[in-house]
Amino acid sequence: VWIALHGPGGEDGAIQGALQWLDTPYTGSGVMASALAMDKVRSKHLFDAAGIPTPEYAVVSNVHEASVAAEQLGFPLIIKPSGQGSSVGMSKVFERDDLAPAVEDALQYGVDALIERCIVGGEYTVSILQGEALPSIRIETPRVFYDYRAKYESDRTEYHCPGTADPEFEAQFAELALAAFRELGCSGWGRVDFMVGEDQQPLVLEANTVPGMTSHSLVPMAARQAGIDFDELCWRILETSYGT
């Protein structure tokens, strides 16, 4: 089975578990890795434990906890649900008056939300295919951040691949992406997202175990830069079927 489902039920280990119980091979990561990658809070805990650099954060379950966390982290902040993809329920908050609505929006999708220090700088992503990192992509969007509309609807989002002309910087992205992927137990194919601030230190945001494959999607773009056309990419993803 080729899994192309986004969000809860498709990326979080649920369909993976059903297919495994049916003894049916499927593309991408297994049950536990899918669940961990989808859970942004537990992903963060694992990145911290493994020494993988990631933006400072706090886990909150109500507006009061968010207010306390905001005092510690400072504005601007990124607020996102713990268990959603495609930037659903995600907000960038610049001042205290906007904090409560953003937290309430994120908490619609689960009991916990993640508050993260907003890194002002470049946004990058690194695709992974069969244990190797593909060229990085630098993303530029006129929107406040790379949200759902920028990902799937806007024709004004710009992509630069490779994302950097510095081989050492490119190698650093690849090393961190593979480390984050391995720490979560991911396999087959996927994508790891980064922010880079003024200090030029790549910070891992999250891993995606079922990246998009649309006309706006990033894995096909990185594969093309690496000399892998769309047909070959599809076959190579299919070869990652769990259990084969």
Side-chain angles (χ1 to χ4, degrees):
V1 170
W2 178 300
I3 298 176
L5 300 169
H6 294 307
E11 293 181 81
D12 59 4
I15 193 67
Q16 289 81 1
L19 291 169
Q20 198 162 318
W21 186 80
L22 291 169
D23 198 25
T24 302
Y26 55 87
T27 52
S29 297
V31 176
M32 182 176 292
S34 298
L36 286 172
M38 189 69 176
D39 189 326
K40 294 176 176 60
V41 168
R42 282 155 187 81
S43 292
K44 284 280 205 176
H45 292 339
L46 287 170
F47 296 155
D48 270 347
I52 295 170
T54 188
E56 294 176 83
Y57 67 97
V59 183
V60 302
S61 58
N62 55 57
V63 173
H64 172 70
E65 291 177 356
S67 180
V68 173
E71 288 290 338
Q72 297 171 341
L73 296 173
F75 292 93
L77 295 165
I78 297 293
I79 300 176
K80 60 183 84 170
S82 176
Q84 284 288 325
S86 302
S87 300
V88 172
M90 181 173 166
S91 303
K92 187 172 182 178
V93 177
F94 294 92
E95 54 189 38
R96 181 167 297 281
D97 287 348
D98 298 326
L99 183 64
V103 172
E104 290 167 355
D105 184 31
L107 289 174
Q108 291 184 77
Y109 301 97
V111 296
D112 292 324
L114 187 72
I115 292 188
E116 194 173 64
R117 182 169 63 88
C118 180
I119 305 301
V120 178
E123 185 160 2
Y124 296 78
T125 191
V126 176
S127 301
I128 294 171
L129 179 64
Q130 294 176 315
E132 296 184 3
L134 300 179
S136 72
I137 298 173
R138 180 165 52 86
I139 302 160
E140 293 183 359
T141 174
R143 297 184 62 77
V144 174
F145 63 92
Y146 190 48
D147 60 5
Y148 185 94
R149 287 187 62 188
K151 290 177 179 178
Y152 298 108
E153 299 172 2
S154 176
D155 290 323
R156 297 176 62 196
T157 304
E158 296 182 6
Y159 305 97
H160 306 272
C161 185
T164 170
D166 185 339
E168 291 186 7
F169 204 29
E170 192 72 10
Q172 188 178 10
F173 275 118
E175 181 182 353
L176 285 173
L178 290 169
F181 213 59
R182 286 193 298 265
E183 185 62 28
L184 297 175
C186 299
S187 59
W189 76 302
R191 208 186 72 232
V192 178
D193 298 336
F194 294 86
M195 288 297 298
V196 178
E198 292 181 355
D199 62 359
Q200 296 302 296
Q201 168 64 61
L203 301 174
V204 173
L205 298 179
E206 60 186 68
N208 300 273
T209 56
V210 186
M213 291 285 281
T214 72
S215 61
H216 287 68
S217 296
L218 304 175
V219 174
M221 190 184 305
R224 188 164 57 249
Q225 181 67 29
I228 303 168
D229 65 22
F230 192 78
D231 286 353
E232 181 185 351
L233 173 63
C234 291
W235 278 112
R236 289 183 63 174
I237 292 171
L238 194 60
E239 287 173 357
T240 71
S241 297
Y242 185 88
T244 59

